[in-house]
Amino acid sequence: MLLRRFALLLAVPLVLVAVACGDDDDDDPTPTPTQPATTATTGTSPTTAATAAPTTDGTVAPQNPGGTDPVTTKPVPDPPTTVPLLKDVRMGVHPENGGWERIVFEFEGGLPPAEVEYVPSVSQCGSGNAVALQGSAVLSVTFQGAAQHTDAGQLTFAQQTVDGPGNTILEAKQHCDFEALLGWAMGLKGQQNFKVATLEGPPRLVIDVKQ
């Protein structure tokens, strides 16, 4: 009787070994697919983020809230030694202090004196034809003793229209480049506070318009 029980005990490990060996012949299970990582969403859609104008030329100083009265700036150097040439016009959006939109006029050869003011409308200085601008308000900037072309007639900045960020400044158009008088005008969604500053390296006139 004892010999029979002993024989049964020896048989159990052999069965377990046989089962274990049989498992090794099975194919590996298919790996569980990895779920793709999800991206957190924000309140700004991808289209808006892709088309939003970047900030440009520094930050907006918080000290000056701006206004709607005309602003004039002096030339740099003063007095001017040459006729500054317009090299670029660009715009950007700044989130500082509730949001501003900035337009920058970059020159070569110094910074001409400028007058920035709201006007009812603007006209081409040669033909007198009215200049159509988007929006319900027109902000004009006039540069004295400046040009957008060389003495040989070559344009130093080829564009006469620059699209705005689309919130407050809708667009900007050149309306005068004649006898050292250079004029641009911005079409705005409405008459907003603005402020004017000058920057060096390179010479720039900066106009910030409140959103």
Side-chain angles (χ1 to χ4, degrees):
M1 194 66 165
L2 292 176
L3 292 175
R4 185 176 179 182
R5 290 181 180 176
F6 183 71
L8 289 174
L9 292 174
L10 290 177
V12 172
L14 294 177
V15 174
L16 294 176
V17 170
V19 172
C21 292
D23 288 345
D24 290 341
D25 294 335
D26 294 340
D27 294 333
D28 292 335
T30 303
T32 303
T34 302
Q35 295 296 326
T38 57
T39 302
T41 58
T42 62
T44 303
S45 67
T47 301
T48 303
T51 58
T55 59
T56 184
D57 295 84
T59 59
V60 179
Q63 292 83 2
N64 179 9
T68 58
D69 293 335
V71 175
T72 58
T73 63
K74 294 182 179 181
V76 180
D78 189 8
T81 57
T82 186
V83 175
L85 300 177
L86 183 68
K87 301 296 290 186
D88 192 24
V89 179
R90 54 185 176 270
M91 299 196 207
V93 177
H94 288 258
E96 301 95 318
N97 313 307
W100 295 78
E101 292 183 11
R102 171 172 288 189
I103 182 167
V104 178
F105 296 89
E106 180 181 321
F107 286 87
E108 181 182 81
L111 190 64
E115 183 172 9
V116 185
E117 61 181 335
Y118 279 109
V119 295
S121 61
V122 290
S123 303
Q124 292 286 350
C125 60
S127 64
N129 294 332
V131 176
L133 286 162
Q134 300 178 48
S136 60
V138 178
L139 185 61
S140 170
V141 54
T142 304
F143 299 100
Q144 299 283 347
Q148 197 170 325
H149 64 277
T150 65
D151 291 340
Q154 183 178 4
L155 291 175
T156 57
F157 179 61
Q159 294 175 241
Q160 292 184 323
T161 299
V162 177
D163 292 334
N167 186 8
T168 299
I169 306 177
L170 304 179
E171 63 179 343
K173 289 184 179 181
Q174 183 231 72
H175 62 87
C176 189
D177 182 18
F178 182 68
E179 293 186 347
L181 182 67
L182 180 63
W184 278 73
M186 287 74 74
L188 310 182
K189 71 173 183 180
Q191 194 170 108
Q192 302 285 94
N193 280 8
F194 71 91
K195 52 187 179 181
V196 181
T198 59
L199 299 173
E200 298 179 357
R204 287 157 289 170
L205 181 81
V206 174
I207 303 172
D208 292 318
V209 181
K210 193 74 179 72
Q211 285 185 332

